Amino acid sequence: MASVIHYTIATEAEKSPDFRRVLWTGKNTQLVIMTIPAGGEIGEETHEDIDQILTFVSGTGKAVISGSEKNVAQGDLVVVPAGTKHNFLNTGENPLILYTVYGPPEHADGAVHKTKEEADRLEEEGKDEPPTS
């Protein structure tokens, strides 16, 4: 019997200074926390076969989904269906902190990327691949 996996997710997200930290990876989904610094962004991207749900814990930002813009803040949730171009930008003075669920997983199990630059480099080098079944 599997044990209960439990997080106080807002606390976990707020205590992580890393750009990206994978908290949990399952067969079909993955839980990731992110901290986007003031003036920073996730970067425009499209996940062809991956749905993504982002929940914002603190800070203020802007979601750009298929060219449409929407302000986001604590408590907001944004759904990004597979194949949708998207970006999230920090528009405030404090970090934009969020957690996101990918289905299926997008990143290497246990991955920790201190900065966006490190995350981009590891992705380009093929060192941030999700586990294969």
Side-chain angles (χ1 to χ4, degrees), residues 73-94:
Q74 180 181 10
D76 288 343
L77 182 145
V78 176
V79 174
V80 181
T84 305
K85 186 182 290 187
H86 60 281
N87 192 6
F88 294 88
L89 302 91
N90 183 340
T91 59
E93 296 180 12
N94 297 312

Side-chain angles (χ1 to χ4, degrees), residues 6-119:
H6 175 270
Y7 297 101
T8 304
I9 194 64
T11 302
E12 288 295 320
E14 287 186 328
K15 74 181 186 183
S16 175
D18 302 312
F19 175 74
R20 181 185 298 131
R21 177 180 294 268
V22 175
L23 284 183
W24 179 82
T25 302
K27 179 179 177 185
N28 299 306
T29 57
Q30 184 173 62
L31 176 61
V32 176
I33 54 178
M34 297 186 74
T35 300
I36 304 168
E41 64 181 283
I42 289 176
E44 189 174 79
E45 59 187 358
T46 304
H47 307 295
E48 291 302 331
D49 300 315
I50 298 171
D51 293 321
Q52 188 174 5
I53 301 171
L54 302 95
T55 304
F56 296 86
V57 173
S58 63
T60 56
K62 180 170 53 173
V64 182
I65 311 294
S66 294
S68 295
E69 297 184 5
K70 177 77 175 166
N71 290 332
V72 294
Q74 180 181 10
D76 288 343
L77 182 145
V78 176
V79 174
V80 181
T84 305
K85 186 182 290 187
H86 60 281
N87 192 6
F88 294 88
L89 302 91
N90 183 340
T91 59
E93 296 180 12
N94 297 312
L96 179 61
I97 300 173
L98 63 103
Y99 62 93
T100 183
V101 176
Y102 294 96
E106 166 70 359
H107 300 286
D109 188 27
V112 176
H113 304 134
K114 303 252 181 242
T115 64
K116 179 179 182 339
E117 294 75 23
E118 178 184 29

